[in-house]
Amino acid sequence: MTTFQQKAKLLQGLLTGDVAHTGPFYVTVEITCRCNLHCVCCQFHSSLLNIPSDGDKAVKDIPYDLFNKLCNELKAMGTSQIILCGEGEPFLHPRLFDLISVAKETGFHVILYTNGTLLNEASLKYLIDLRLDILKVSLFASSYEEYKNNYPIDNPVNYGKVVDGLKLLARFKNEKKSKLPLVILCHPINKNNFQHIDAMVHWVHTTGGNAISFSPHHPFRGKYTAFSLSQAEEISIICSLYKIKKQLNSLSIDHNIKQVLHRYKIGEAVWEKLPCYIGWLHATIKTDGMVFPCCRCDLPMGNLNEKPFHEVWNNSAYRAFRRKVLTRKGLASMVKWCDCNFCGYVGDNVRVHRLFRWFSPFCG
């Protein structure tokens, strides 16, 4: 969705220094810290281990006025996409539909990321009427048994709620003759569910989903390693992914299997093999207005309650970050703040690197 002019300005910034000449291509806004689940691999609400992030936890939900101001600034900077997610469940934000409405009215392509347990008749009709572009639903399980393993202290009836909610959405879209929101079923792969990922093809098909997105489990700063796959299990999941790729293609269901296979090929130490360009492409905004380069970095770039986004975007902190993460030595020095293992932005970094690697030797 980025224009040629934006790409040219991105390259201009990379070639000439550390100043971005265009705004971020997309921005993730973590709109709430509240959650109704305790997914075992979640760093914020896991039933096994809780690793709180930086920031003012007294601010549970991003204020509407701050979000509205942010949307106007980003639009003026050329940003085209906003992702609404959270350290918790976005449907618990008391003004979620107002946030979606203002983002759409400002002209953004809007993605909403949810655990799917709070999808009901009223909320689904709102999403259709607001013309939400994409609804991403995270689901670790393809059966009640897997659900119990991945959500051990949550009621397994939630599994049925997610499936029923997606079927209801498909029905409402059909009745209203609406293609939006597109539905992407997101399935993190871990030791508790890797043996049955083929079942997810059935669920995305029967619930009327448009696509499925897989993601390898990534331990967070050495935590949650018990859910990582062994080498033999990785080989098994790679074979399974090749197999279900044919099924998904035959059903005309989009998927990200090519990207997932690439992530397994690169392995966990992404920073040793690829520069990081995320500081030029993206920003993460927390509920308290703190700005970070991505969701895996704890190094703050600034606060929107103190400075407007366009000033934060090219301040000294952001410029220093951009310089450091373009080199392996610089990335190695960032391990205190950034957890780059199984980086979720590999696809973006690869696309930029394919072009910039030919110019970087001449940039000093």
Side-chain angles (χ1 to χ4, degrees):
M1 293 189 296
T2 54
T3 65
F4 175 80
Q5 184 180 26
Q6 286 175 300
K7 293 175 181 178
K9 286 184 176 181
L10 167 65
L11 183 58
Q12 178 188 0
L14 287 166
L15 289 171
T16 59
D18 47 25
V19 175
H21 297 283
T22 183
F25 290 7
Y26 65 108
V27 169
T28 298
V29 185
E30 299 195 350
I31 62 174
T32 185
C33 296
R34 308 172 193 272
C35 198
N36 60 331
L37 292 183
H38 303 83
C39 313
V40 289
C41 295
C42 174
Q43 73 180 83
F44 308 111
H45 303 282
S46 172
S47 57
L48 302 181
L49 185 63
N50 190 280
I51 308 175
S53 66
D54 294 335
D56 184 359
K57 294 309 166 188
V59 184
K60 297 294 184 183
D61 308 302
I62 194 168
Y64 172 82
D65 290 342
L66 179 63
F67 182 80
N68 187 24
K69 179 184 176 185
L70 174 65
C71 285
N72 290 322
E73 287 190 61
L74 291 174
K75 192 62 181 177
M77 296 174 68
T79 301
S80 58
Q81 185 179 89
I82 286 183
I83 302 171
L84 302 180
C85 63
E87 292 185 8
E89 167 51 44
F91 274 91
L92 292 176
H93 192 293
R95 299 191 66 180
L96 170 63
F97 300 113
D98 291 331
L99 301 185
I100 297 173
S101 179
V102 73
K104 289 295 297 180
E105 289 173 2
T106 311
F108 289 104
H109 181 274
V110 182
I111 298 174
L112 176 62
Y113 202 113
T114 174
N115 62 36
T117 59
L118 301 177
L119 299 176
N120 55 41
E121 182 174 341
S123 63
L124 292 173
K125 287 181 176 178
Y126 268 124
L127 296 182
I128 295 173
D129 292 341
L130 290 170
R131 304 289 294 169
L132 177 73
D133 294 282
I134 295 177
L135 180 68
K136 285 191 170 186
V137 180
S138 175
L139 186 61
F140 279 83
S142 60
S143 67
Y144 279 99
E145 192 58 40
E146 279 186 358
Y147 197 92
K148 292 177 184 177
N149 292 333
N150 283 289
Y151 309 82
I153 69 172
D154 294 317
N155 192 335
V157 73
N158 285 325
Y159 177 72
K161 287 182 179 180
V162 177
V163 174
D164 291 343
L166 290 174
K167 290 180 178 178
L168 189 60
L169 175 57
R171 196 188 94 196
F172 287 159
K173 285 169 61 179
N174 185 56
E175 291 174 355
K176 291 177 174 283
K177 297 181 180 179
S178 175
K179 292 184 178 180
L180 298 180
L182 299 177
V183 177
I184 301 178
L185 195 61
C186 300
H187 186 59
I189 300 170
N190 63 26
K191 192 176 284 288
N192 287 341
N193 61 24
F194 79 97
Q195 293 177 315
H196 305 106
I197 64 166
D198 56 324
M200 297 306 296
V201 179
H202 166 76
W203 283 124
V204 72
H205 181 55
T206 57
T207 58
N210 302 95
I212 187 165
S213 176
F214 296 101
S215 57
H217 167 71
H218 45 261
F220 186 80
R221 301 193 184 283
K223 310 296 182 181
Y224 308 113
T225 55
F227 299 97
S228 298
L229 303 185
S230 66
Q231 186 174 8
E233 289 168 340
E234 277 196 14
I235 294 172
S236 173
I237 197 65
I238 289 170
C239 293
S240 296
L241 288 168
Y242 275 112
K243 178 182 176 181
I244 66 173
K245 180 180 179 180
K246 296 180 180 179
Q247 292 178 267
L248 292 166
N249 289 340
S250 68
L251 295 169
S252 298
I253 295 173
D254 289 339
H255 55 81
N256 68 333
I257 290 178
K258 180 179 178 180
Q259 292 84 353
V260 175
L261 291 172
H262 189 62
R263 286 178 69 184
Y264 276 119
K265 180 180 179 180
I266 290 178
E268 291 193 18
V270 176
W271 63 272
E272 293 182 350
K273 302 165 186 174
L274 193 67
C276 176
Y277 300 98
I278 205 64
W280 304 85
L281 305 172
H282 170 268
T284 291
I285 316 297
K286 300 285 188 178
T287 57
D288 61 351
M290 292 296 291
V291 181
F292 296 86
C294 74
C295 64
R296 304 283 284 183
C297 180
D298 293 332
L299 187 65
M301 300 289 103
N303 192 313
L304 299 184
N305 292 299
E306 300 170 359
K307 299 280 186 179
F309 184 84
H310 72 271
E311 290 187 18
V312 174
W313 184 236
N314 273 316
N315 65 12
S316 58
Y318 242 122
R319 293 172 65 181
F321 176 84
R322 292 183 184 122
R323 287 194 300 270
K324 282 192 174 183
V325 298
L326 282 181
T327 67
R328 184 178 298 182
K329 181 180 179 181
L331 279 167
S333 72
M334 300 294 284
V335 294
K336 179 181 177 181
W337 299 281
C338 303
D339 185 14
C340 299
N341 288 342
F342 264 138
C343 170
Y345 303 93
V346 165
D348 291 329
N349 286 328
V350 167
R351 282 187 286 274
V352 176
H353 192 60
R354 281 175 181 162
L355 175 62
F356 184 62
R357 62 178 174 166
W358 300 107
F359 296 93
S360 57
F362 306 101
C363 296

